[in-house]
Amino acid sequence: MTTPTALRRYAPFASASLQSMLQYRSTLLIGAVTATTAVGLQVFLWRAVYAGRSDGLPGGYDLPELTTYVLLAQLLALSQANRVDEEVAGEVQRGDIATSLLRPVNYPLARFAAGLPVSLVNATLVGLPVLLLYAFLLPLAAPTWTGLLLFLPSAALSLVIGFGVNLLVGLAGFVTTNIWGVRIVKDSVVAFFAGQVVPIALMPGPLAAVAHVMPFQGLVDGPLRLLLGHYTGPAQAAGILIVQAAWAAALAAAAALAWRKAVRRVEVLGG
Amino acid sequence: MIVAEDLVKEFKVHRRRPGLIGSLGTLFSREHDIVRAVSGVSFRILPGVRAAYIGANGAGKSTTVKMLTGVMNPTSGRCTVAGLEPYRDRRRTAANIGVVFGQRSQLWWDLPVADSFRILRRIHDIPDPVYRRNMALYQELLDLDALGTTPVRQLSLGQRMRAEVAASLLHDPAAVFLDEPTVGLDLVLKEAVRELVNRVNAQLGTTVMLTSHDIGDITSICDQVLVVNHGAVVHQGTVHELLRAADTRAVVFEYQDGPDPHQAIALIEARLPGVTARQSECRRIIVDYPTGRLSARQVMAFLLEHFDLTDCVAPEPDLETVLRRIYTRRAEPREVPV
C-alpha cells in the first residue's frame, strides 16, 4: 500500500477531484462569502463578550489569542469539510457505489485521495484569503515558530481524523439510506466537542472532561493549542500530537472495518 | 472463464402499505418480505465466447451480473470469473474485467471524456502501447475525439454510451460485461459499438457477456445465448439452437377467388390438427402450426391443394417470438399473443 505503484493508482482520484472542484468556480466564491460571514459572526460575538470583561483571562486566552482561535477554528473546520460523508452516502443511495466497486482500488483510500484536494482547495483558496482579510482588520496573536512547527503536523492529523469521522458517517448510508439526520447531528456534536464553537478551556469542567476523551478535540482544539502555545510543556505538546495520531489511526481502522462490513451489504436494485 | 454454480440472491424488501395511512404504518412496523431475484442459476461461459444473457424485465439478469462483477455477494452458491470469486477478490477481479452498466456511468461526471480515460489509464496502470492502440481503435470506430472537452454530465446519452463501452475495454480486460450497452444509440453508432466488441473479441479473445433487450445486439455480437426466466437458466446454446427450439412456425399466404377468409380459416383449422389460423389483411392469412405435429411440406401441400395462392412465405422463426414464448410460458401457459 505504500509502494509507489500503489500510490500511482490513488493519485488520479486526487487530481480528478481537484479538476472537478475547479469546474465549479461559483461554489468556491459562495464558499468564501459564507466563510467570511460565519467567521465574522463568531469573531465579533466573542470580541463583544470580551469587551465587557475586566477580570483576568478566561481559559487563559487573551483577546488577540481568542480572536485567532475563533478565526482559525472556523477555517480548520472549513478545511475538514471534505464532503466525504455526503458523497459516500449519495453513492450508496443512488446505487453508483456499484461503479465505484468496479475499480481495482481500495474504496476508502480512493475516497481519502479524492477528499484531500477538497481540503487543500478550501484551505488555500477560501481559508487563506479570509485569514488575510481578518488579519488586516483585527489584532491577531502572532504565532511562534515552535507553534507553527507543531501546528502543521497537527493540522495534517486533524484532516485524517476529519476524514475518518466523515467516512464513518457516510457509511451509515448503508444502514439508513438517507443520512441527512445523521449528518445534522454529527455536524453539531463534532463542532461543539472539537472546540470549534467554544475553546475547550472555556467549557465547564465536566463538559471539558468529556471533550478531552472524544476524538473531536483533535480536529480544532488540539492544533490551535499547539499553535498558540497553550500547553504546560514539551511533554503535554507531544501528548496532544500522540493522542491525535492515536485517534487518527483508530478512526482509520474503524472506517476500514466498517467498510468491509458495509460492502457485504451492498444491495443495488435495478439498473 | 465465467462460471456460476447454483447462484442465489435474495433481497429483504420492507413491506410498505399503500397510501398515507399505510406509510404512517411503516413507521412503526418493520415487516419485510424476502424476494428471490436469482434462484439457483448455473452456467459456464468458456474463454473467448460472446454470450448473450437474456430474459424479461425482472428476470434477475442485472443482479446476476452484479454478483459476477463483485458488486454484490450471493446469498448462496458461488461464481468465478477468470478463476477468482469476484465478491471475495473484488480488486483483483476489477483489474480483470470491464463492465458497462447502461444506466450508470463509470466516467467522471464533471470532466471531459478524454480526462476520464487518462484517469482510468493510471488507475489500471495501462502500458503505453496498449493505451495508444486502444485509443486509436476507439478513434477509428467511435470517433471519440468528437466529444471534445464537454464534461460528461453535458453529453447526450448516445455520446456517453460509446465512451462507456470504450472505457470498459481500455485496460484489455479478459472478460467484459455489457449491460444494455446500446441504449440510446442510433443505428450507425449501434453498429460501431457492435463492431468494436466483435473486433476486441477477435483480436484479444475477450470473453463477452451481454445483456440486452435489443435483438440486433444479440444476433450481431453473440454466438451463445443464455435465457433466464424466473431467476433460473432455461436455455443455453447457440443462437441457432435457440431458434430451432421454436415449437411453432408460421406460413403466410395470400389467395384469390375461392372461399371468403372466415371459411378459409375454419377449413384450415378443421383439417390440420393443432393449427391456428388468423387473418392479417383481407385475403392474407397467417397459419401457425406446431412443428412437432406437422412439417412445412404438409402445410404447404394442403394450402396448394385448397387455395389459388398468389403469394406464400414461410418466415424464419424470429428470436423475438421465440423469446416471447419462453418469457410468457410460465405466466400464461396456453395461448401466446403475437
Side-chain angles (χ1 to χ4, degrees), chain A residues 73-110:
Chain A
Q74 301 302 315
L75 300 183
L76 270 175
L78 180 75
S79 310
Q80 289 148 6
N82 49 26
R83 295 196 221 141
V84 166
D85 48 353
E86 53 180 295
E87 282 181 14
V88 171
E91 279 202 354
V92 174
Q93 194 174 5
R94 290 189 305 270
D96 290 343
I97 192 85
T99 48
S100 291
L101 287 172
L102 297 174
R103 308 204 193 283
V105 292
N106 175 285
Y107 182 76
L109 278 179

Side-chain angles (χ1 to χ4, degrees), chain A residues 14-28:
Chain A
S15 59
S17 149
L18 180 62
Q19 258 182 292
S20 306
M21 217 187 162
L22 297 178
Q23 292 253 329
Y24 296 98
R25 277 183 306 177
S26 51
T27 309
L28 287 177

Side-chain angles (χ1 to χ4, degrees), chain A residues 157-222:
Chain A
L157 284 171
S158 83
L159 289 185
V160 179
I161 296 175
F163 171 77
V165 171
N166 277 352
L167 182 59
L168 282 169
V169 171
L171 291 177
F174 280 95
V175 187
T176 64
T177 313
N178 193 326
I179 64 154
W180 185 78
V182 183
R183 278 182 58 206
I184 297 290
V185 173
K186 183 229 32 174
D187 280 346
S188 42
V189 168
V190 167
F192 186 78
F193 286 106
Q196 182 195 330
V197 188
V198 183
I200 294 178
L202 297 189
M203 290 181 186
L207 218 51
V210 174
H212 277 298
V213 295
M214 301 239 274
F216 313 123
Q217 39 95 16
L219 289 170
V220 175
D221 199 74

Side-chain angles (χ1 to χ4, degrees), chain A residues 43 47 62-72 138-140:
Chain A
V43 167
R47 289 179 69 84
D62 64 18
L63 187 54
E65 274 180 342
L66 193 76
T67 311
T68 313
Y69 183 103
V70 172
L71 169 61
L72 288 177
L138 300 168
L140 297 180

